[in-house]
Amino acid sequence: MRIETRKVLDKSFSALGVISIGLMIAFLVLILGPIVWKGSQAFIFSGTIEHRKLMFDHWDRGDKTQLNAELDVVEKVRKPVFEIFEAYELEVKGMPRKERGKRKKELKALKKLVEELVGPFPGERQPVLFRQRYGQTRWDRVQVKLDKILLKESWDYSDPDKGGIKVFKPRSEGFERTRMAELFSYIESNVEQMMRPKWTFYYQFITDSSLDSHIFGGIWPEFLGTLYLSIGAMIFAVPMGIFAAIYFCEYAKQGVVISFLRICISTLAGVPSIVFGLFGLAFFINTIQVSDSKSVLAGSLTLSLLVLPTIIRASEEAIQAVPSSYKEAALALGAGRWWTIVTIILPAALPGILTGIVICLGRAAGETAPIIFTAAVSVGKALKLDEVFTQPTPALPWNIYNLCTEHEAVDEIRHVQFGMVLALIMLVLVLNVGAIIIRAKVSKNLKV
Amino acid sequence: MNSKFSNNSQMNESDMNVHLKTIDFSIFYGDFEAVKKVNCDIYKKRVTAIIGPSGCGKSTLLRAMNRMNDLIPSCHVTGEINLDDVNLYNPKVDVVKVRKRIGMVFQKPNVFPKSIFDNVAYGPRLDGIRKKGDLEAIVEKSLKQAALWDEVKERLHKNAIGLSGGQQQRLCIARALAVKPEILLMDEPTSALDPKSTAKIENLIKELQDDYTIVIVTHNMQQAARISHLTAFMYEGVMVEYDDTQKIFTNPEKKETEDYITGRFG
């Protein structure tokens, strides 16, 4: 080949490499950017007085006197709203019967909207649903609710070709020349004083339990559940995987049987995770009954089966990568096979084995399908350590899906959904970084 | 070939007891016969060199002497190697005990990725010696025997990987000595080293010859001439000639030996 051609080929190959790495980084930013941005809004947001009240009521956070002072101010600003409602109710009572029914319905709807914004009206019974006991805790949600109060959604069917078109009309149009008319402008201009938004760093989002299925509070049950499940999976899978790898590499007679077993393990690694889930349900719960129903234990066992092939392969490769001269040296000194493995081969293979474990830990933490069948529930409290043998748990991957699709107020808890995603990514990242540090420390002593 | 000693041998007859004796010893890799019916006696507290061209089976023979060939699944042997009249390949013999009596130093220095101290203490610890004082004494003695003590005494607990190649090889020797073997097998111990380190190892071998039986495989004929009492020449799996080093290098009986030594092939 001529030297020019070679140079051109060389350059185009390195250009291809640079382009693909650039693309990869671009996609990474494209994927992670929004997740981090939106997820961080679960932790850092403009919180209203309702948020601070909730925090104080439930977790005794914040300064009582300061909160009460704030509440006094808020009460003063909100008072005209309640007065307007009272006056309007009286007004409605005096209306002709025909109009009264329609007005009452309107009033009820409007009251509900305002209650969603600021919480229950003073002097009324405490609502049964927890979510109705407080107004909006987040300033971004306040804006949404405010829009709902100010604008009424209706459908315009005037053009028969286009079908219905959504139009927004000011709600105040329906209340012209009534006592209610002033409400809308009052709320619009005083909403900030009514809610008192303040930038909040809600770092307890991770460690708070959820209140009323994630309408308020944090994600601790899910976070802890994921920790339990992934660590539990490792407790089963790591010893099994390492021992299997040792057997394959050091003890087994390399032959047809072992080759066949290796193929089986590779196949197992490619089995869809939903199949593992079904197997876990059928075997661990229904057949050998490790627990009466879904439990963390059953989920961990299922996950451990899922990651076992990867751990075996990674450990095998790590063990095979240990120079055979180490083994020879140990044997020549009179070490037995087992002693050689424990004192020489495993320490030298440790970085590689650790890498495999970390990859599997991340996979176990993020896997959804196996735990749907065996461990995950949508709503639950954080488990104590002795409950993991019998109780199911909520877990991040399953609840991310669940909160995005099945929750009754999907739009209200966007921040929780993204917060969970961010927490899951961060969990895996922290585990990875931890393992990288351990690996670096271990392999520093092993450099050949 | 049994050894025959010329009259001008400088060896003392009383020292001439046989330590390791191979009887019709053959090694097979599958069907291939790598070593063919070797009969040779290794004498106590003598340095025996095995020379020969690449692939002649000299390393294979050496490794068979402490049963390192066991690691190769396709390898099997016929004949006997007797250590004090006990066949090493007798199924009743514990291979671990054999390897404790017959130490080995390999071609490439293969120190463990552990501290210098732990490297030397590896063997004694296997024997169940746990007391720090005992271990320290053994480590110091072994390192002194290997002429490495002065160079590493300040950094016994540093990683052995940081040593130079020559130091690593002497550490390997110290590690082998710490097990207190009777015989030391050396498989081209200086082939990966520079001349200065080689000289140090050769001096070391000269010092060790008073206490140990040493068998050394080498490519370097000058080295064999410098350090060994006896030399065996192997060619294509056959031990062609085994005699006093002086005789082999000055007046060999076989033509192949002469050809090899004078550099006509190999």
Side-chain angles (χ1 to χ4, degrees):
Chain A
M1 208 183 293
R2 278 170 52 210
I3 192 123
E4 282 83 10
T5 335
R6 239 189 295 170
K7 270 185 187 163
V8 168
L9 270 179
D10 229 34
K11 270 189 186 154
S12 45
F13 272 125
S14 55
L16 273 178
V18 169
I19 287 170
S20 49
I21 286 178
L23 272 177
M24 196 191 71
I25 292 172
F27 278 123
L28 209 65
V29 171
L30 213 65
I31 293 167
L32 285 184
I35 289 176
V36 172
W37 168 242
K38 290 195 171 173
S40 65
Q41 288 170 11
F43 297 88
I44 301 163
F45 56 89
S46 180
T48 65
I49 177 74
E50 297 293 320
H51 175 75
R52 295 189 281 283
K53 203 170 133 203
L54 181 81
M55 288 294 122
F56 183 79
D57 287 354
H58 274 270
W59 287 295
D60 263 337
R61 284 181 203 136
D63 183 42
K64 194 177 180 183
T65 45
Q66 202 189 330
L67 179 74
N68 280 337
E70 252 191 309
L71 281 172
D72 283 344
V73 176
V74 167
E75 207 180 316
K76 263 179 211 140
V77 188
R78 288 180 183 182
K79 209 175 170 199
V81 176
F82 305 137
E83 281 170 358
I84 289 170
F85 266 92
E86 259 173 57
Y88 183 66
E89 262 172 67
L90 277 176
E91 199 181 344
V92 170
K93 267 182 192 167
M95 281 179 185
R97 197 173 197 177
K98 229 171 140 189
E99 213 186 332
R100 211 192 295 162
K102 191 187 140 219
R103 287 288 182 183
K104 264 190 176 168
K105 222 168 143 191
E106 263 180 3
L107 175 69
K108 214 175 164 188
L110 185 59
K111 196 176 170 190
K112 201 171 158 238
L113 285 173
V114 176
E115 272 178 340
E116 275 177 22
L117 182 71
V118 300
F121 282 22
E124 292 196 351
R125 265 192 310 162
Q126 200 181 37
V128 182
L129 280 179
F130 190 88
R131 73 192 63 167
Q132 289 169 358
R133 291 181 201 169
Y134 293 91
Q136 291 304 313
T137 56
R138 299 168 63 91
W139 183 241
D140 51 349
R141 294 302 305 166
V142 167
Q143 306 292 337
V144 176
K145 293 290 172 192
L146 184 65
D147 276 354
K148 281 211 169 148
I149 292 171
L150 297 180
L151 299 171
K152 197 178 173 185
E153 183 187 305
S154 62
W155 294 87
D156 179 8
Y157 293 105
S158 55
D159 186 349
D161 293 341
K162 282 188 182 164
I165 301 166
K166 210 191 223 176
V167 285
F168 290 100
K169 284 182 191 158
R171 202 181 285 272
S172 53
E173 278 176 11
F175 296 97
E176 275 151 357
R177 289 184 297 282
T178 68
R179 295 293 303 274
M180 194 56 98
E182 53 191 302
L183 175 87
F184 302 98
S185 57
Y186 182 81
I187 290 186
E188 194 174 5
S189 52
N190 287 301
V191 67
E192 205 161 337
Q193 281 75 36
M194 280 162 67
M195 305 309 289
R196 295 179 72 86
K198 214 190 257 175
W199 281 102
T200 314
F201 180 32
Y202 183 33
Y203 57 91
Q204 295 102 329
F205 180 71
I206 296 279
T207 52
D208 274 352
S209 55
S210 95
L211 298 171
D212 198 2
S213 50
H214 291 293
I215 299 281
F216 308 118
I219 56 169
W220 181 237
E222 284 79 8
F223 196 81
L224 189 67
T226 295
L227 276 182
Y228 278 149
L229 282 167
S230 44
I231 292 172
M234 290 302 128
I235 288 174
F236 295 114
V238 168
M240 266 202 288
I242 293 178
F243 281 120
I246 290 172
Y247 180 78
F248 276 136
C249 295
E250 300 293 327
Y251 285 92
K253 239 189 181 147
Q254 309 297 322
V256 185
V257 181
I258 289 301
S259 310
F260 179 70
L261 276 177
R262 284 219 169 93
I263 293 169
C264 288
I265 289 170
S266 302
T267 315
L268 207 61
V271 170
S273 55
I274 191 91
V275 178
F276 276 101
L278 271 172
F279 173 78
L281 175 66
F283 184 70
F284 291 122
I285 297 178
N286 290 347
T287 309
I288 64 170
Q289 294 181 334
V290 294
S291 55
D292 295 336
S293 175
K294 287 181 181 182
S295 71
V296 176
L297 178 63
S300 297
L301 284 167
T302 311
L303 284 174
S304 75
L305 285 188
L306 180 86
V307 298
L308 191 59
T310 319
I311 290 191
I312 293 178
R313 293 315 289 266
S315 308
E316 249 191 291
E317 267 159 37
I319 288 171
Q320 274 163 355
V322 176
S324 61
S325 64
Y326 289 180
K327 201 164 99 184
E328 280 180 348
L331 291 175
L333 289 170
R337 217 188 224 176
W338 177 243
W339 190 248
T340 307
I341 289 166
V342 172
T343 59
I344 304 296
I345 294 177
L346 280 188
L350 203 57
I353 295 176
L354 274 177
T355 313
I357 290 175
V358 168
I359 290 168
C360 291
L361 200 56
R363 174 134 192 243
E367 199 57 69
T368 319
I371 61 169
I372 295 175
F373 289 103
T374 53
V377 284
S378 311
V379 181
K381 60 179 175 38
L383 296 187
K384 291 192 190 71
L385 200 55
D386 59 328
E387 291 171 323
V388 297
F389 300 104
T390 52
Q391 300 293 316
T393 181
L396 287 173
W398 163 243
N399 277 58
I400 288 168
Y401 167 77
N402 189 53
L403 291 188
C404 293
T405 55
E406 320 257 290
H407 198 274
E408 66 255 68
V410 172
D411 282 329
E412 313 228 338
I413 53 162
R414 288 277 178 237
H415 63 283
V416 182
Q417 296 155 11
F418 279 102
M420 275 188 185
V421 174
L422 186 66
L424 184 58
I425 290 176
M426 283 301 165
L427 179 68
V428 175
L429 194 71
V430 165
L431 289 173
N432 274 293
V433 169
I436 288 168
I437 291 170
I438 296 171
R439 239 188 85 185
K441 273 195 176 164
V442 173
S443 53
K444 214 169 89 182
N445 301 328
L446 291 173
K447 283 221 180 77
V448 183
Chain B
M1 280 301 136
N2 277 318
S3 61
K4 283 177 262 167
F5 293 105
S6 47
N7 291 333
N8 60 358
S9 166
Q10 291 149 13
M11 282 172 217
N12 186 342
E13 287 296 322
S14 64
D15 276 348
M16 296 307 301
N17 28 12
V18 174
H19 205 166
L20 205 65
K21 187 181 184 72
T22 71
I23 302 166
D24 285 341
F25 191 73
S26 301
I27 304 171
F28 297 87
Y29 290 123
D31 295 332
F32 172 69
E33 192 173 10
V35 172
K36 293 167 189 161
K37 299 222 169 174
V38 167
N39 288 290
C40 79
D41 299 341
I42 307 292
Y43 294 95
K44 228 168 221 170
K45 297 188 180 173
R46 287 284 171 269
V47 179
T48 307
I50 305 176
I51 58 171
S54 297
C56 71
K58 55 192 190 307
S59 282
T60 308
L61 177 64
L62 188 82
R63 292 164 69 91
M65 287 178 181
N66 74 343
R67 291 187 57 179
M68 290 306 287
N69 284 357
D70 288 11
L71 294 178
I72 301 159
S74 66
C75 178
H76 71 276
V77 303
T78 61
E80 291 179 13
I81 296 183
N82 289 336
L83 174 66
D84 294 343
D85 295 327
V86 178
N87 182 8
L88 298 183
Y89 284 86
N90 187 326
K92 283 180 196 157
V93 167
D94 182 1
V95 64
V96 167
K97 281 186 184 146
V98 168
R99 288 179 187 150
K100 273 185 184 157
R101 291 178 66 184
I102 307 177
M104 185 147 190
V105 176
F106 295 85
Q107 184 173 0
K108 272 191 195 154
N110 54 356
V111 297
F112 298 134
K114 296 169 181 280
S115 73
I116 294 167
F117 185 92
D118 287 341
N119 261 281
V120 183
Y122 187 84
R125 278 187 178 134
L126 274 173
D127 281 336
I129 299 171
R130 288 273 177 270
K131 267 196 209 148
K132 213 172 167 236
D134 295 352
L135 283 175
E136 277 169 355
I138 294 173
V139 168
E140 183 176 344
K141 189 176 164 230
S142 309
L143 285 172
K144 276 180 176 162
Q145 272 185 309
L148 191 61
W149 174 253
D150 290 329
E151 291 163 56
V152 299
K153 64 184 172 193
E154 306 293 331
R155 44 173 177 157
L156 283 179
H157 294 282
K158 292 264 167 63
N159 199 319
I161 301 289
L163 296 174
S164 75
Q167 287 174 323
Q168 285 191 15
Q169 194 60 299
R170 275 179 286 150
L171 180 60
C172 288
I173 295 173
R175 187 175 65 186
L177 295 177
V179 190
K180 300 199 180 92
E182 300 159 28
I183 302 174
L184 207 53
L185 308 175
M186 295 181 161
D187 189 358
E188 298 181 37
T190 61
S191 67
L193 303 181
D194 61 282
K196 212 173 161 190
S197 303
T198 303
K200 276 187 179 165
I201 302 268
E202 285 181 11
N203 286 335
L204 179 57
I205 292 169
K206 279 181 188 158
E207 278 166 35
L208 292 173
Q209 70 189 32
D210 297 335
D211 301 312
Y212 299 92
T213 304
I214 295 171
V215 185
I216 178 167
V217 161
T218 178
H219 261 302
N220 182 335
M221 278 177 283
Q222 285 78 24
Q223 185 173 58
R226 279 196 298 267
I227 61 174
S228 68
H229 303 110
L230 298 129
T231 299
F233 171 63
M234 285 184 75
Y235 183 58
E236 291 186 341
V238 178
M239 192 168 276
V240 178
E241 194 166 354
Y242 177 37
D243 213 326
D244 246 12
T245 300
Q246 220 182 352
K247 180 150 188 298
I248 292 266
F249 282 96
T250 53
N251 185 22
E253 279 181 9
K254 301 279 159 100
K255 194 172 175 302
E256 290 103 316
T257 318
E258 195 180 344
D259 287 350
Y260 182 69
I261 285 164
T262 52
R264 241 163 272 170
F265 76 97

